[in-house]
Amino acid sequence: MTTKIVVIKVNYTNLSRYSDYCERTYRRQFEAGLGLEGLNQALIEQVSADDSAQIVVVDCTFTEKSGRHTYGLDWFYNGKTQRAERGLEWSVVAVVDLAQKTGYALSAQQTEAGLGAQAPVSADGSTPPKSRVDFYLGHLAYCAAYFPARIRYVVADGFYSKYKWVTGVVQLGFHSIGRLRSDANLKFLYAGPQKRRGNRRRYDGKVNLSDPSRFTLVKTLEEGVSLYTAVVWSVSLKRRIRLAYLLKDQEGRRSYVVLFSTDIDGDPTAIYQGYAARFQIEFIFRDARQFTGFADCQARSPEALDSHVNASLMALNVAKAALQSTQAQGEPAEPLSFSIASFKRQALNAHLLDLFTATFALEPTLIKSHPNDQTLLNYGVIAA
């Protein structure tokens, strides 16, 4: 099957210009829904080694959208402009392979409009979610059936470090990893002798996050950056958590980052590495916007919007899987050096070469076996 590569905006009209199908065919198929979670699951299992560690990463992204009748239009936070804007928001769940240091999108769902306000009771008597966190948890629960069997941790940024989210993740059978505020309300757990009468003493004072002297030093990550840990009580999360406390002391200036996990027996180094790998989902957003038409959809129905966004994310997965397949079988997984720009150029060159071969009735075998075939495929590719 020849890969269809669109070098301009990915909409129905431009898709028809690069294939044998008309615009109406694409419109009809997209509005019928694609349901790509199962395909993404199979692809992720195919490219992952049996012993590679994986985590689930959750985040949301904003897309601009003009018009007044598009489904889900509302005011959402746009990280690019650092303010709320009118458009669409997408909750994305991805699986990150820690050995490859690469993320694969599993599913995207459009955030419903009006979740921040009191939701009215629908005609059938059911009540929609009353907050966006409820919606994000529902998306995570839906995707749980497609997770690889060895997934234990769900990683999200500081916005998700809320009681409702963390409790929901734990109830689904996973551990939550996230980031706390620099002024988080934490308490040390008391481990000394108890009084013979009265309530048992539970806490041993408030945690001063600017003073890690009561934390346990794990190791020095690099010059001036140390990793500490402790098991403490979180007042806001209402549970014991394992801290991974990063202290940066360079050039006389001190700063710190407070990471946490609900797995109190977990390795603090793994917590730090898992949160650092969370940034792979930002690369997914960037590449999907720039190269696979994530924000190019001109449809208005929820089914077509969902199909377009998930197809865009799956195109990235296919590209990464194609690159992963070039590694020798049996070799340990290594970080991928991935350029979607080069892959897209190579795929376009292959499409054009196949088109010329078919149009001029040339012998495909002679073209493919010619020593300059690879030179044509690499025409315009960014040098490694």
Side-chain angles (χ1 to χ4, degrees), residues 8-11 287-297 308-309 312 344:
I8 49 182
K9 270 196 171 184
V10 183
N11 53 41
D287 291 339
R289 287 174 179 272
Q290 294 181 358
F291 300 107
T292 61
F294 183 89
D296 292 347
C297 186
H308 179 97
V309 167
S312 170
K344 188 172 182 178

Side-chain angles (χ1 to χ4, degrees), residues 50-207:
D50 294 336
D51 57 347
S52 63
Q54 294 177 326
I55 59 174
V56 165
V57 178
V58 180
D59 203 356
C60 52
T61 184
F62 175 87
T63 58
E64 299 82 0
K65 187 68 173 177
S66 58
R68 295 177 297 174
H69 303 289
T70 301
Y71 175 83
L73 272 177
D74 203 347
W75 290 86
F76 297 102
Y77 180 76
N78 184 358
K80 183 172 67 174
T81 60
Q82 301 290 304
R83 64 185 181 188
E85 294 184 356
R86 187 168 174 81
L88 306 178
E89 184 186 80
W90 296 90
S91 171
V92 178
V93 176
V95 175
V96 175
D97 190 295
L98 298 182
Q100 298 177 15
K101 294 184 179 179
T102 305
Y104 300 90
L106 181 63
S107 171
Q109 281 190 9
Q110 184 183 359
T111 305
E112 299 174 9
L115 291 185
Q118 184 67 25
V121 177
S122 58
D124 60 358
S126 61
T127 303
K130 292 181 173 61
S131 72
R132 291 174 187 169
V133 174
D134 289 318
F135 178 82
Y136 303 147
L137 276 173
H139 185 204
L140 181 68
Y142 167 77
C143 293
Y146 300 100
F147 289 169
R150 54 185 177 275
I151 291 293
R152 294 183 58 210
Y153 296 100
V154 175
V155 186
D157 64 16
F159 170 81
Y160 295 81
S161 298
K162 298 176 171 61
Y163 171 77
K164 182 181 290 187
W165 171 263
V166 171
T167 302
V169 170
V170 173
Q171 289 175 348
L172 288 173
F174 306 103
H175 287 295
S176 178
I177 292 179
R179 178 174 177 173
L180 296 175
R181 291 165 51 112
S182 59
D183 60 349
N185 190 1
L186 306 173
K187 296 181 179 180
F188 287 107
L189 298 173
Y190 180 73
Q194 297 288 345
K195 297 183 295 183
R196 301 187 64 176
R197 294 184 178 182
N199 292 332
R200 298 177 60 84
R201 183 177 177 183
R202 299 178 60 187
Y203 308 119
D204 191 20
K206 185 178 175 63
V207 177

Side-chain angles (χ1 to χ4, degrees), residues 109-354:
Q109 281 190 9
Q110 184 183 359
T111 305
E112 299 174 9
L115 291 185
Q118 184 67 25
V121 177
S122 58
D124 60 358
S126 61
T127 303
K130 292 181 173 61
S131 72
R132 291 174 187 169
V133 174
D134 289 318
F135 178 82
Y136 303 147
L137 276 173
H139 185 204
L140 181 68
Y142 167 77
C143 293
Y146 300 100
F147 289 169
R150 54 185 177 275
I151 291 293
R152 294 183 58 210
Y153 296 100
V154 175
V155 186
D157 64 16
F159 170 81
Y160 295 81
S161 298
K162 298 176 171 61
Y163 171 77
K164 182 181 290 187
W165 171 263
V166 171
T167 302
V169 170
V170 173
Q171 289 175 348
L172 288 173
F174 306 103
H175 287 295
S176 178
I177 292 179
R179 178 174 177 173
L180 296 175
R181 291 165 51 112
S182 59
D183 60 349
N185 190 1
L186 306 173
K187 296 181 179 180
F188 287 107
L189 298 173
Y190 180 73
Q194 297 288 345
K195 297 183 295 183
R196 301 187 64 176
R197 294 184 178 182
N199 292 332
R200 298 177 60 84
R201 183 177 177 183
R202 299 178 60 187
Y203 308 119
D204 191 20
K206 185 178 175 63
V207 177
N208 181 7
L209 289 173
S210 62
D211 179 17
S213 58
R214 295 185 63 180
F215 294 164
T216 301
L217 176 63
V218 179
K219 63 179 181 180
T220 300
L221 299 175
E222 58 184 73
E223 184 178 357
V225 181
S226 302
L227 176 63
Y228 294 82
T229 189
V231 176
V232 300
W233 178 264
S234 171
V235 176
S236 62
L237 301 181
K238 302 178 183 179
R239 65 178 63 245
R240 292 187 298 166
I241 57 175
R242 164 73 66 179
L243 293 185
Y245 178 94
L246 295 167
L247 177 64
K248 183 177 181 180
D249 191 352
Q250 295 177 336
E251 300 178 355
R253 300 182 61 181
R254 293 179 52 148
S255 60
Y256 58 87
V257 175
V258 187
L259 309 179
F260 78 94
S261 173
T262 56
D263 183 9
I264 61 175
D265 297 321
D267 181 5
T269 303
I271 297 173
Y272 160 71
Q273 293 173 341
Y275 192 84
R278 187 205 70 82
F279 201 76
Q280 291 297 325
I281 200 170
E282 304 295 343
F283 295 143
I284 293 176
F285 296 154
R286 179 200 65 187
D287 291 339
R289 287 174 179 272
Q290 294 181 358
F291 300 107
T292 61
F294 183 89
D296 292 347
C297 186
Q298 296 177 347
R300 297 182 298 182
S301 69
E303 296 81 9
L305 289 167
D306 181 85
S307 296
H308 179 97
V309 167
N310 280 282
S312 170
L313 295 175
M314 186 179 181
L316 273 180
N317 291 345
V318 172
K320 294 176 182 179
L323 180 63
Q324 180 68 22
S325 65
T326 61
Q327 292 187 348
Q329 296 293 329
E331 289 187 356
E334 296 180 355
L336 292 179
S337 178
F338 180 71
S339 171
I340 185 63
S342 294
F343 180 86
K344 188 172 182 178
R345 173 57 60 181
Q346 289 175 324
L348 175 63
N349 292 341
H351 170 65
L352 290 176
L353 192 57
D354 290 343

